[in-house]
Amino acid sequence: AAWSEVDMLFCVFMEIDLRAVRWLGGRCDGCVFQACWMDGLDLSDRTLVRSQFIGCRMEGVDLSRSHIAQANFKGAVLRRALLQSVDGASALFPEADLSGAILRGAVLPRAIWVDACVEGVDFSGAELELSAFHRARCRAARFEHARLGDVDFSDADLRECDLRGASFLRTRMHHARLDDARVDGRSGIIDADEGLHEALQWSAASSPVRPRDGTTVLSGTGQLLVRL
C-alpha cells in the first residue's frame, strides 16, 4: 500500500503490520500506534508531534529530521533506527530499546529515557539538556560534544561511553557506572562538575578499572587518573 501525502491526524492503529506501507508524506500528529510492526519504514521529515508508538517494533526505522515533540515511544524497539537531527522536546523513550541507533545532532531537551537501553547509540552533538536517563543502559554510547546540562544519569550504566567534548552543568550522576568511560583530561573539567566527579569515584570503588590512553578513570583507591 502507498499513502501519498495523506494527513492522518489523531488516528488509532492497534496491532497492525505496517511494514509494507510506503508512506510518501503527510502529517501524523496525535496518532496512536500500539504494538504495530513498523520495521524499516521511512518516516523521515515527518511531523509526528504527540503521536504514540507504544510497544511498536520499529527496527531500522528512519525518523531523520522528523518532528517528534512529546511523542511517546514507551517500550518500543528502535534498534539501529535513524534519528539524526530529529526535533523532539519532551519526547518519551521509557523502557525502549534503541541499541545501535543514530541520534547525531538530535534536539531532545527534556526527553525521558528512564530504564531505556541505548547501548552503542550515537548521541554526538545532541542537545539533551534536562533529560532523564535514570537507570538507563548506555554502555558504549557516544556523547561526544553533546549538551548534557541538568541531565539525570543517576544509576545509569555509562561504562565505555565516550563523553569527550560534552558539556556538563549540574549533571546528576549519582551511582552511575563510568568504568572505562572516555572523558576529556583537560585540567579542571572533572572538578568543575561535582556530579561527574562523584560518579567516577563511586564507579571506581565498585569496580576498579585500568586507565587507557585518552581515558579518565579512577583507581580502586579513589585517586583520579588521567592519561592523555
Side-chain angles (χ1 to χ4, degrees):
W3 297 347
S4 179
E5 298 298 331
V6 175
D7 287 333
M8 296 183 298
L9 306 180
F10 308 103
C11 297
V12 177
F13 302 85
M14 300 187 67
E15 300 182 5
I16 298 176
D17 190 342
L18 299 169
R19 287 173 291 186
V21 172
R22 290 186 298 120
W23 190 1
L24 305 179
R27 298 175 64 91
C28 191
D29 294 354
C31 287
V32 175
F33 298 87
Q34 186 162 339
C36 292
W37 289 265
M38 307 175 73
D39 301 313
L41 284 184
D42 183 358
L43 300 176
S44 59
D45 300 294
R46 301 292 195 275
T47 299
L48 305 167
V49 175
R50 294 185 299 279
S51 288
Q52 299 187 43
F53 300 88
I54 298 173
C56 291
R57 292 194 57 86
M58 305 176 73
E59 290 197 43
V61 70
D62 188 354
L63 288 160
S64 302
R65 300 172 301 281
S66 288
H67 298 279
I68 59 171
Q70 301 179 50
N72 188 349
F73 295 88
K74 178 180 172 67
V77 178
L78 289 144
R79 289 191 288 262
R80 297 179 299 281
L82 303 177
L83 292 95
Q84 59 262 44
S85 302
V86 294
D87 184 359
S90 301
L92 306 174
F93 297 90
E95 303 173 22
D97 183 357
L98 290 93
S99 304
I102 306 296
L103 286 92
R104 285 193 297 266
V107 180
L108 291 164
R110 301 182 300 281
I112 302 298
W113 306 85
V114 176
D115 292 315
C117 179
V118 292
E119 295 182 348
V121 169
D122 187 352
F123 287 105
S124 299
E127 298 180 23
L128 301 169
E129 295 93 338
L130 296 162
S131 294
F133 284 83
H134 184 54
R135 294 191 305 270
R137 301 188 300 267
C138 310
R139 191 163 189 165
R142 298 178 58 185
F143 292 94
E144 297 157 283
H145 303 287
R147 293 167 62 175
L148 304 176
D150 292 291
V151 171
D152 183 4
F153 282 112
S154 57
D155 293 298
D157 183 356
L158 293 164
R159 287 176 290 179
E160 303 174 27
C161 283
D162 196 335
L163 296 158
R164 292 174 297 175
S167 59
F168 303 95
L169 180 63
R170 297 182 298 274
T171 308
R172 294 179 294 282
M173 293 193 174
H174 183 66
H175 282 189
R177 293 292 301 273
L178 280 143
D179 307 50
D180 278 333
R182 298 170 66 85
V183 183
D184 279 327
R186 296 194 300 270
S187 176
I189 192 168
I190 302 300
D191 294 336
D193 190 280
E194 295 180 0
L196 178 57
H197 184 69
E198 176 192 13
L200 286 165
Q201 289 204 6
W202 185 88
S203 185
S206 300
S207 178
V209 294
R210 182 176 60 191
R212 302 178 302 188
D213 288 349
T215 304
T216 300
V217 297
L218 284 168
S219 69
T221 61
Q223 179 185 5
L224 182 64
L225 300 173
V226 179
R227 298 208 38 200
L228 302 177

